[in-house]
Amino acid sequence: MQQQAVEQCPVHTYSPHEPRPLGEWNAFFDRLREEAPVVRNTFAGGYFVLTRYEDILAAYQDPDTYSSEAVTVMDPDPAHRWIPHMLGGEEHRQWRRNLGPAFSPRAVSGLDDRVRQRAGELIDSFADRGSCDVMTDFAFRFPTSIFLELMGLPSGELERFMDWEADILHSRGPDPATIARQRTAALTAVGDYVSSVIRERRADPGEDLVSQALQFRFEGRTATDEELRSYCVFMFMAGLDTVAAQLGYILHHLATHPEDRRRIVDEPELLPVAVEEFLRAYSFVIPARKVKRDVEVAGCPIPAGSMVQLPLAMATRDAAAFEDAGQVRIDRTPNNHIAFGAGPHRCLGAHLARHELQIALTEWHRRIPEYRLAEGAVTRETGRSSGPDTVPVVWDRQ
Amino acid sequence: MQAHIDLNRCSGHARCAAADEEVFQLDDVGYALRAEFDVPSGAEQAARLAAASCPERAITLTD
Ligand code: HEM
Ligand code: SF4
């Protein structure tokens, strides 16, 4: 039996932190999928990885078994509870019901003009330069400036937020201890900043997301300052780097696939469909869950308490679910990808993210319709939801 | 044609509404509003697209 279990669940040892040239991680994940429906990585404390669309979708749709009380494989017993992400059951449902109206497709459409203005300003700042790094000049700044806007914060805070982001998510520093220290320090700084904003809004509410959250109701009570702090810090972690990474993958694709770029410029009405395909083909988020009871996935036993990764690229690049799954077909319809996850924890910001991406790409191509990757550029990514590190592009000045 | 939406599965991706927002109405949180309804004639193609676009596979159509 033991022997069989081992056979059914191949064991690997790889570090998801390792930077590899863009595309190599997806190719590696594709090979793991071909090898088995479940594999085990001995890295860190050891964890399982589901590799097939069907099993991954089913796991997301069963949050009682696949719990989000722990969401990183390195940290199976976390000291914190990010809101709403790490909540479950009725508590999670109530938060999502409160949050829903501000993030619904209709509410998000109402922000389009402001999103468009931010995108335009940023692109104008480098359009006549003839070159830029998509990541540092545009992709990180754009969602961060929208976030400031949504939180009702002055745009002058952008540099400060960019610094925190770099410390928290990009692990700057010479060694793991320094990286961890910087990360914790920056998270505390963001939390303290947010707490002072919460205090200000209690005294003098406005139209922003923080003021709205002060009105949330949970069976008669309102949210505590501590809950609001967790929610705001999580929004910071969930809504900035993700849009930046996705934008980086898309502009990298278009800079290296002139036929797709030309089609988007010539047929702007295709853009929403193309964005869905980019989300599918470049699904980079690798969520994880803690398994609450002994389960068996495709013959592989997974004991209660294990951490399981549900990488979205494993699902959206599965040939059993999508024709030519490894190819980008920018007019793919229908496209029921799960790049934003699935089940009750489906990305709260999905509709905002879609609008941000569509608007950013529209404004970019209006100003810079022809561009290419800078000569000799090497773009790397890690196997842990990181996005491209740099996307240097050049274009002929008008 | 009849549409059935499993509201317990629906998690508010709103892809159905992107196919046809009149037929696939959303509530104010952005989730499917109606569990069961007739697809108006002429909207069958959009309904098929909606069902095939739902990431949760919450929509079934019957003739
Ligand atoms: C292209 C951009 C984005 C991608 C690919 C993305 C992806 C995801 C994914 C896959 C999840 C589910 C994680 C899981 O189940 O463990 C998620 C959750 C979440 N996302 Fe996004 N996201 C994006 C942008 C945003 C934005 C702009 C916001 C907010 C303004 C946001 C806020 C959230 C929140 C709050 C959750 C937690 C939901 C819950 O657990 O109930 N995301 N996102
Ligand atoms: S596409 Fe599916 S999950 Fe999304 S709102 Fe429509 S029915 Fe619900």
Side-chain angles (χ1 to χ4, degrees):
Chain A
M1 190 63 218
Q2 193 59 33
Q3 191 56 36
Q4 198 184 359
V6 169
E7 250 166 53
Q8 280 164 348
C9 178
V11 177
H12 285 261
T13 301
Y14 59 88
S15 163
H17 298 291
E18 185 191 318
R20 299 182 184 175
L22 194 147
E24 285 188 12
W25 274 103
N26 268 349
F28 173 68
F29 290 147
D30 289 344
R31 285 198 300 280
L32 292 184
R33 188 191 310 104
E34 277 159 32
E35 187 181 346
V38 184
V39 299
R40 198 175 151 68
N41 185 8
T42 62
F43 185 77
Y47 55 90
F48 293 88
V49 185
L50 304 198
T51 71
R52 296 195 181 164
Y53 172 85
E54 285 296 327
D55 298 325
I56 291 173
L57 176 63
Y60 280 116
Q61 290 180 331
D62 180 5
D64 292 337
T65 305
Y66 295 88
S67 165
S68 66
E69 69 183 42
V71 288
T72 36
V73 289
M74 320 287 171
D75 192 6
D77 296 297
H80 56 270
R81 240 172 33 129
W82 298 120
I83 291 178
H85 192 38
M86 294 170 74
L87 306 179
E90 185 52 28
E91 192 182 13
H92 178 253
R93 232 177 337 267
Q94 288 194 21
W95 268 94
R96 290 294 298 242
R97 210 172 297 138
N98 276 304
L99 288 164
F103 291 93
S104 71
R106 187 173 313 137
V108 164
S109 303
L111 303 169
D112 282 357
D113 289 346
R114 288 192 281 167
V115 174
R116 193 174 312 283
Q117 198 186 337
R118 286 278 172 266
E121 285 164 8
L122 282 170
I123 301 165
D124 280 340
S125 74
F126 56 75
D128 57 9
R129 231 162 59 192
S131 69
C132 81
D133 173 21
V134 169
M135 300 314 295
T136 52
D137 289 319
F138 183 45
F140 287 119
R141 306 178 86 83
F142 170 58
T144 309
S145 63
I146 311 287
F147 177 82
L148 293 176
E149 182 113 27
L150 292 176
M151 292 293 189
L153 300 170
S155 56
E157 299 285 48
L158 185 61
E159 295 312 323
R160 196 196 317 209
F161 273 77
M162 298 299 301
D163 255 11
W164 282 331
E165 243 182 284
D167 279 346
I168 292 173
L169 300 150
H170 308 294
S171 320
R172 295 193 293 194
D175 58 88
T178 315
I179 291 170
R181 204 166 42 244
Q182 277 177 347
R183 186 169 190 277
T184 312
L187 265 176
T188 307
V190 174
D192 291 347
Y193 179 91
V194 157
S195 288
S196 75
V197 174
I198 294 166
R199 272 196 301 279
E200 282 167 30
R201 299 296 149 76
R202 279 212 194 276
D204 183 15
E207 305 277 292
D208 55 278
L209 286 180
V210 185
S211 301
Q212 284 173 21
L214 294 173
Q215 306 299 323
F216 289 172
R217 315 281 319 170
F218 307 89
E219 286 165 351
R221 72 171 183 92
T222 53
T224 64
D225 281 1
E226 206 182 319
E227 287 173 317
L228 293 171
R229 174 175 165 139
S230 169
Y231 158 60
C232 293
V233 175
F234 187 72
M235 292 295 284
F236 173 89
M237 295 195 297
L240 308 187
D241 248 34
T242 43
V243 175
Q246 198 73 60
L247 210 44
Y249 285 116
I250 297 175
L251 284 166
H252 183 277
H253 176 92
L254 293 170
T256 50
H257 295 77
E259 64 294 348
D260 286 346
R261 177 181 54 71
R262 227 167 282 128
R263 213 170 148 203
I264 278 171
V265 171
D266 294 343
E267 303 170 52
E269 66 284 359
L270 188 64
L271 190 64
V273 173
V275 164
E276 295 305 315
E277 174 65 350
F278 293 133
L279 285 161
R280 183 198 68 80
Y282 298 101
S283 296
F284 60 94
V285 185
I286 307 185
R289 296 290 190 267
K290 189 169 187 169
V291 175
K292 298 299 285 177
R293 59 179 173 84
D294 293 347
V295 291
E296 205 178 283
V297 177
C300 170
I302 302 179
S306 306
M307 291 304 296
V308 178
Q309 270 188 347
L310 309 171
L312 292 165
M314 287 287 197
T316 62
R317 290 170 55 88
D318 183 349
F322 296 94
E323 213 175 285
D324 294 336
Q327 301 295 313
V328 174
R329 291 192 343 214
I330 59 169
D331 53 4
R332 187 185 294 271
T333 26
N335 188 344
N336 63 341
H337 69 77
I338 55 168
F340 290 113
H345 292 278
R346 186 267 308 164
C347 176
L348 174 69
H351 307 302
L352 175 61
R354 286 189 160 104
H355 282 235
E356 288 186 15
L357 293 173
Q358 286 171 20
I359 290 171
L361 292 168
T362 302
E363 297 308 309
W364 176 287
H365 290 100
R366 259 228 280 267
R367 291 163 174 82
I368 310 173
E370 287 183 36
Y371 51 98
R372 58 199 179 274
L373 213 54
E375 212 166 307
V378 180
T379 295
R380 291 175 200 280
E381 58 180 345
T382 67
R384 46 178 297 266
S385 312
S386 69
D389 58 353
T390 167
V391 181
V393 295
V394 295
W395 58 92
D396 298 328
R397 279 176 286 179
Q398 313 275 299
Chain B
M1 183 186 268
Q2 272 249 316
H4 313 260
I5 304 186
D6 181 344
L7 297 186
N8 287 324
R9 268 186 169 235
C10 171
S11 73
H13 292 265
R15 303 316 296 153
C16 54
D20 190 324
E21 61 180 353
E22 306 276 305
V23 177
F24 293 89
Q25 296 171 19
L26 302 177
D27 64 15
D28 66 345
V29 192
Y31 291 58
L33 180 68
R34 304 185 291 169
E36 212 135 319
F37 53 89
D38 288 325
V39 175
S41 67
E44 291 87 354
Q45 199 53 36
R48 280 187 207 101
L49 175 60
S53 305
C54 176
E56 309 286 349
R57 294 190 290 200
I59 304 172
T60 40
L61 303 170
T62 51
D63 286 319

